[in-house]
Amino acid sequence: EAAPEAPAAAAEQDGEEWRFPWLYHERQVGALCAVHSLNNLLQGPYFDEGGLREVTRELDQAEREITEGHGLDEGNARTDGYFNVQVMQVVLERVGFEMRPFRADSADPADETAFILNRRMHWFTVLKVRGQWFDLNSRLSYPQMYQVQQMRDQLSGFMSAGWTVFVVRG
């Protein structure tokens, strides 16, 4: 699944990577977008694949005990590094955050501070930093800054395109 591309004008600017030197943005490595999304959300290299795999093992074990081993396929992660929503939620809960599905009809996204989006096994973060919104998709070369209405429009577009949007609070 190709990531949404930044507008051509923004992508063509010289030195775009230096535009926000204070903004942490991990780039995509393998299928570790869940790790990148979490680190981009928290603005630092706090998580790695090993930590998410440990949570996966715990969840898989608990599910095996409940189901007596029936109905489990790949468990909560794939061998290539993709982690499912339960892993993301548990990891965030352990550091004091809550990740829940966002309902656009019930709240103005501008009142929030962070979103994690998922579709077809790709995760990424949209985050408010210093009063500005940023798309921190690890598949983008550089963070994409949005004004408030642009962010609303982007989230609406992502939801229309089948992305699941989670609000992160904490």
Side-chain angles (χ1 to χ4, degrees):
E1 176 73 21
E5 293 187 23
E12 293 171 3
Q13 292 176 2
D14 290 338
E16 183 75 14
E17 69 272 22
W18 304 111
R19 189 168 169 197
F20 311 107
W22 40 265
L23 188 64
Y24 186 82
H25 178 239
E26 279 187 9
R27 300 277 312 276
Q28 186 76 24
V29 175
L32 296 176
C33 54
V35 173
H36 305 312
S37 180
L38 292 167
N39 287 336
N40 288 337
L41 172 77
L42 297 178
Q43 288 293 280
Y46 297 103
F47 298 104
D48 61 18
E49 182 180 8
L52 272 67
R53 289 243 176 253
E54 180 57 34
V55 170
T56 298
R57 282 189 288 279
E58 294 169 16
L59 290 170
D60 289 349
Q61 179 60 36
E63 289 172 13
R64 274 192 293 280
E65 290 172 9
I66 292 169
T67 66
E68 298 178 351
H70 300 292
L72 297 178
D73 48 15
E74 296 177 328
N76 289 285
R78 294 187 341 198
T79 57
D80 66 1
Y82 175 78
F83 297 90
N84 72 13
V85 66
Q86 289 88 345
V87 174
M88 299 287 282
Q89 288 174 317
V90 168
V91 167
L92 285 170
E93 285 170 6
R94 289 183 180 177
V95 294
F97 291 88
E98 175 185 56
M99 180 176 129
R100 298 288 175 241
F102 178 71
R103 293 191 47 206
D105 60 345
S106 65
D108 181 354
D111 294 335
E112 304 294 344
T113 57
F115 298 93
I116 292 180
L117 288 79
N118 177 261
R119 186 176 87 165
R120 296 187 185 153
M121 296 178 280
H122 183 65
W123 295 99
F124 74 94
T125 296
V126 174
L127 181 67
K128 187 189 296 183
V129 180
R130 297 185 180 182
Q132 294 294 320
W133 285 96
F134 293 91
D135 179 340
L136 298 175
N137 192 329
S138 58
R139 290 183 176 164
L140 294 175
S141 296
Y142 312 108
Q144 177 66 45
M145 187 175 77
Y146 298 133
Q147 299 301 320
V148 172
Q149 190 56 49
Q150 290 173 308
M151 180 274 300
R152 287 182 185 118
D153 294 343
Q154 287 287 54
L155 284 182
S156 177
F158 283 125
M159 288 185 280
S160 294
W163 288 81
T164 301
V165 177
F166 299 91
V167 63
V168 180
R169 297 178 181 134

